Amino acid sequence: MITLHHVPQSRSMRSLWLLNELGIDFEVKTYPFDKSLRAPEYLAKSPAGRVPALEIDGDAIFETGAITEILCERFSPEVLGRPAGHPERAQWLIWVHFAETISQHAAALTQQHVALREDHMRSPIVMKLEAARLIKCYAALEARLAGRDYLLDGGFSAADVSVGQAVYLARYFAHLDGFEAVTAWYARITERAAFKAALPAENEKLFPETFFPPWELSA
């Protein structure tokens, strides 16, 4: 049995979406966004105390990029993955891992807007900088997607899953306005049943709002 350790609306949604795309049997263990991941039994699976962790073949693996590569190599090397020697292998790897570039900025903004409980801990400057960095990521995607339906010419792949989930989170902090190719691509991939199956239930949502603008600096 494959088991995914998951927090809704976190990076582990990326692995959940991919597992749904693969159409394989798996189970999900869901955690709240709190200190549960610091328990010793969980740290044995993911030593930094973060999700996802994936139990497979008696091992526990962590880091979404690694999980994506392992799952695709085993279950869908030519469709959702691109195996070694494939002409699209390099681009597949680039975009699978570019998802983390987007996610690190979204994570910083999640900390600013959601995780920090006291207003004096939050920084309008950090909010503005990280939101601007997300816009730069959108621009990189716009350039890549111009004239393409998906990130790779060979069609939909786990690269779209990885980046698509990162954009799902980024949209809580930076709108896609003006990025026509990204907007069309995002609409296309989020119509997939596997994406919809990875969405949180209403009572599982981490984000209490649909959008968090940067705070304005005090005069």
Side-chain angles (χ1 to χ4, degrees):
M1 175 60 72
I2 296 172
T3 301
L4 175 68
H5 297 266
H6 171 56
V7 172
Q9 292 189 305
S10 75
R11 285 176 174 91
S12 59
M13 180 185 170
R14 192 174 304 161
S15 301
L16 179 57
W17 181 0
L18 179 58
L19 285 164
N20 286 322
E21 291 284 356
L22 290 167
I24 58 179
D25 291 332
F26 65 94
E27 62 180 24
V28 179
K29 184 171 182 181
T30 301
Y31 300 79
F33 186 61
D34 61 16
K35 295 182 179 180
S36 305
L37 303 181
R38 300 296 187 266
E41 57 269 26
Y42 186 75
L43 292 175
K45 299 176 179 65
S46 179
R50 298 182 181 277
V51 289
L54 187 79
E55 294 184 77
I56 183 170
D57 295 336
D59 292 323
I61 58 176
F62 54 96
E63 294 298 327
T64 57
I67 289 170
T68 295
E69 290 189 51
I70 289 167
L71 288 175
C72 287
E73 286 169 7
R74 177 163 175 178
F75 297 107
S76 186
E78 298 282 353
V79 179
L80 291 175
R82 297 294 189 271
H86 192 286
E88 290 188 324
R89 172 70 171 178
Q91 287 299 317
W92 184 84
L93 286 170
I94 286 167
W95 293 105
V96 163
H97 293 284
F98 185 71
E100 272 304 295
T101 299
I102 303 171
S103 291
Q104 69 176 349
H105 302 309
L109 286 162
T110 299
Q111 181 184 63
Q112 287 291 316
H113 289 283
V114 179
L116 296 177
R117 304 300 184 188
E118 303 292 336
D119 284 353
H120 73 272
M121 299 176 178
R122 300 171 179 175
S123 168
I125 294 174
V126 171
M127 292 176 184
K128 288 180 181 294
L129 284 173
E130 294 295 342
R133 287 165 178 158
L134 286 177
I135 295 297
K136 290 183 178 180
C137 290
Y138 293 167
L141 284 173
E142 184 76 9
R144 176 64 185 177
L145 287 164
R148 291 184 172 92
D149 287 340
Y150 302 105
L151 287 168
L152 302 182
D153 293 331
F156 180 82
S157 74
D160 297 289
V161 171
S162 294
V163 178
Q165 185 275 335
V167 171
Y168 165 82
L169 292 180
R171 288 170 65 253
Y172 280 92
F173 309 106
H175 292 305
L176 289 175
D177 298 346
F179 297 100
E180 294 182 3
V182 179
T183 298
W185 162 82
Y186 184 77
R188 189 176 301 118
I189 63 174
T190 55
E191 279 300 308
R192 300 178 70 88
F195 168 80
K196 294 178 180 180
L199 291 170
E202 193 63 34
N203 64 349
E204 293 180 324
K205 288 184 176 179
L206 171 63
F207 299 115
E209 309 292 339
T210 58
F211 186 73
F212 298 87
W215 289 4
E216 294 298 327
L217 288 169
S218 299

